[in-house]
Amino acid sequence: MTDEQINAAIAKACGWRKEDGVYMWTANDIDYTCPDLWDWTNDLNVMHEAEQILKRIGPEYARWLLEIVSRDAGPGIFYAAGSFAHIKAKARQRAEAFLRTLGNWEEAK
């Protein structure tokens, strides 16, 4: 998936919608607006916000994150479960794990 596709998928998973050319989401019965999507693939801070909705399914997310960080580390390198590999995870890796956890990741064609 491209960064744009990833950001759009995370926005949808987080309840964002586009109305009249503006992105919106609702929290505590208040509508919030933003002219552009947040950049979940490059910003650890906004990725942290997205991760909050995964608290109830954390083990699945942790498994995906470990697999992705190990894959991206290169051949012959694998981080064991319980390691601190997740600390090294970049925003894009976290975004991929997030979408895979929700079953919303689309493989490149």
Side-chain angles (χ1 to χ4, degrees):
M1 294 177 75
T2 66
D3 286 358
E4 292 79 18
Q5 291 170 322
I6 292 168
N7 288 333
I10 292 175
K12 185 176 180 182
C14 291
W16 286 46
R17 62 197 183 280
K18 191 170 186 178
E19 295 180 13
D20 299 323
V22 176
Y23 292 96
M24 302 179 71
W25 70 99
T26 303
N28 300 320
D29 296 323
I30 299 171
D31 284 336
Y32 296 90
T33 62
C34 188
D36 299 305
L37 286 178
W38 290 352
D39 190 1
W40 287 277
T41 58
N42 290 297
D43 188 331
L44 284 170
N45 291 318
V46 296
M47 205 45 239
H48 173 75
E49 292 298 319
E51 289 169 331
Q52 300 311 302
I53 71 169
L54 295 176
K55 285 183 176 180
R56 62 189 175 278
I57 51 174
E60 181 73 7
Y61 174 71
R63 184 185 67 75
W64 274 115
L65 193 56
L66 181 63
E67 184 176 319
I68 292 164
V69 170
S70 294
R71 176 198 70 201
D72 292 351
I77 298 174
F78 179 78
Y79 293 100
S83 72
F84 290 99
H86 62 283
I87 292 173
K88 297 180 180 184
K90 296 175 175 66
R92 193 174 199 292
Q93 292 170 318
R94 291 172 183 271
E96 180 180 342
F98 178 90
L99 291 176
R100 286 188 182 277
T101 300
L102 296 176
N104 295 339
W105 181 260
E106 296 179 17
E107 294 295 340
K109 295 175 177 145

